[in-house]
DNA sequence: CGGGCATCTATGGGATCGCATGGGATTTGG
DNA sequence: CCAAATCCCATGCGATCCCATAGATGCCCG
């Protein structure tokens, strides 16, 4: 399925380089790697979003839905494209995070890579632990909603049975 | 029906490897095995949930219904993709359990594999024994309810008694 | 009917490979 | 000409592969 899945934590070396987890690299290549990793500050978190060609197309798709020359589109364009950086990946699968991106996510010694399907995020490890806790507790709630919503009828109905 | 059924207990060797019970392996293959076993901590038990492609699609399906870049999707993505690990199965049908997963389920010397239809769980053997006892007593109650409702004809009402 | 052979599974151990990481060398651009 | 970014190579650890053993099961053929 070639999606970014699971989390990995790698170190930032003295030169500011980080290895992209090998499984993520594999996804990027299959995604039609051209020469860069698209990377930008997450809009609502102290983290970075990154991905390959598929992600780039997705961003385009969002804008395509808005009329040209509308304020909304302009704002979104700036928000989406404005801070995007195309990071080159060296022969060993590493990238260098520019200052502004590193600041946005408070990255210093290590980076936690979090697979999110089409894209992945880069977090300061401790910050991500917090975030993860939060997400887990919310999912408990969401799960109850699914169960209550009666979505159990698809092929064998173990949807809410996770225990 | 190619479901995960019944329970098996296998040892963890010095390298942290465990054999997946052969019957489960067979199910995984028929399920369209691609490159890994999808595995994540059970949300409300000291155990691990695991499955093949079918389970992965199910997870995707949950997210597919949500709009891109919505908060809800982000939360769910983190909780679902972030905790999932794709474990590769070696030529002998074994997997290696990563540290964080082993900790979550208190696994050390052995693992009990429990078939649950679409997926299966991995428990520390003693913990599962406890769990099983508990389940049995609950089933007793459930059965009485069935009986009281006049459905006494299904001779043992074992639907949830999986053992 | 029974003995032995073939097969499959679980498990252990050795050898190899890949990945993350570090450090020097080289190039690029200002 | 200097600083910073890029490339290339070395290394150590962990993961993966491959082979060996052993117990259990089942089958075939005597």
């Amino acid at each position: 399925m070639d999606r970014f899945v699971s989390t990995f934590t790698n170190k930032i070396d003295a030169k500011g380089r980080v290895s992209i987890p090998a499984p993520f690299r594999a996804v990027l290549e299959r995604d039609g790697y051209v020469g860069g990793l698209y990377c930008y500050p997450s809009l609502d978190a102290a983290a970075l979003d990154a991905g390959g060609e598929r992600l780039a197309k997705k961003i385009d798709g969002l804008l395509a839905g808005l009329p040209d020359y509308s304020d909304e589109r302009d704002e979104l364009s700036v928000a989406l494209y404005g801070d995007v950086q195309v990071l080159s990946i060296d022969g060993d699968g590493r990238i260098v995070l520019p200052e502004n991106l590193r600041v946005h996510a408070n990255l210093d010694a290590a980076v936690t890579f979090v697979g999110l399907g089409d894209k992945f995020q880069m977090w300061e490890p401790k910050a991500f632990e917090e975030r993860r806790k939060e997400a887990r507790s919310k999912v408990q709630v969401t799960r109850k909603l699914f169960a209550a919503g009666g979505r159990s009828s698809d092929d064998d109905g173990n949807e809410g049975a996770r225990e």
Side-chain angles (χ1 to χ4, degrees), chain A residues 14-79:
Chain A
K15 298 180 185 175
R17 298 174 298 183
V18 207
S19 288
I20 297 175
F24 285 14
R25 247 150 44 205
V27 174
L28 287 172
E29 277 163 19
R30 233 160 308 176
D31 185 32
Y33 178 75
V34 214
L37 175 73
Y38 292 81
C39 184
Y40 55 89
S42 304
L43 293 174
D44 46 16
L48 308 175
D49 282 27
E53 292 302 315
R54 195 186 328 185
L55 178 63
K57 292 213 176 78
K58 211 157 193 173
I59 295 175
D60 282 351
L62 280 180
L63 288 173
L66 300 171
D68 292 346
Y69 303 107
S70 66
D71 285 353
E72 213 179 1
R73 185 199 176 98
D74 284 350
E75 280 167 19
L76 207 53
S77 295
V78 173

Side-chain angles (χ1 to χ4, degrees), chain A residues 138-151:
Chain A
K138 285 195 184 165
V139 166
Q140 299 272 1
V141 176
T142 306
R143 200 177 48 149
K144 282 175 188 152
L145 291 180
F146 275 127
R151 287 213 32 205

Side-chain angles (χ1 to χ4, degrees), chain A residues 29-154:
Chain A
E29 277 163 19
R30 233 160 308 176
D31 185 32
Y33 178 75
V34 214
L37 175 73
Y38 292 81
C39 184
Y40 55 89
S42 304
L43 293 174
D44 46 16
L48 308 175
D49 282 27
E53 292 302 315
R54 195 186 328 185
L55 178 63
K57 292 213 176 78
K58 211 157 193 173
I59 295 175
D60 282 351
L62 280 180
L63 288 173
L66 300 171
D68 292 346
Y69 303 107
S70 66
D71 285 353
E72 213 179 1
R73 185 199 176 98
D74 284 350
E75 280 167 19
L76 207 53
S77 295
V78 173
L80 294 181
Y81 284 126
D83 292 319
V84 173
Q85 307 243 353
V86 181
L87 306 181
S88 60
I89 301 177
D90 72 16
D92 299 330
R94 287 185 281 198
I95 54 172
V96 178
L97 293 168
E99 182 65 12
N100 63 325
L101 292 182
R102 230 175 323 136
V103 167
H104 178 81
N106 298 315
L107 298 174
D108 49 1
V111 180
T112 296
F113 294 79
V114 186
L116 296 178
D118 280 346
K119 65 184 180 185
F120 62 88
Q121 286 187 331
M122 301 161 78
W123 288 76
E124 195 286 319
K126 284 177 188 164
F128 177 66
E129 267 314 306
E130 291 305 311
R131 161 76 183 170
R132 170 182 270 179
K133 280 182 202 161
E134 189 186 324
R136 279 192 186 133
S137 60
K138 285 195 184 165
V139 166
Q140 299 272 1
V141 176
T142 306
R143 200 177 48 149
K144 282 175 188 152
L145 291 180
F146 275 127
R151 287 213 32 205
S152 61
S153 57
D154 59 340

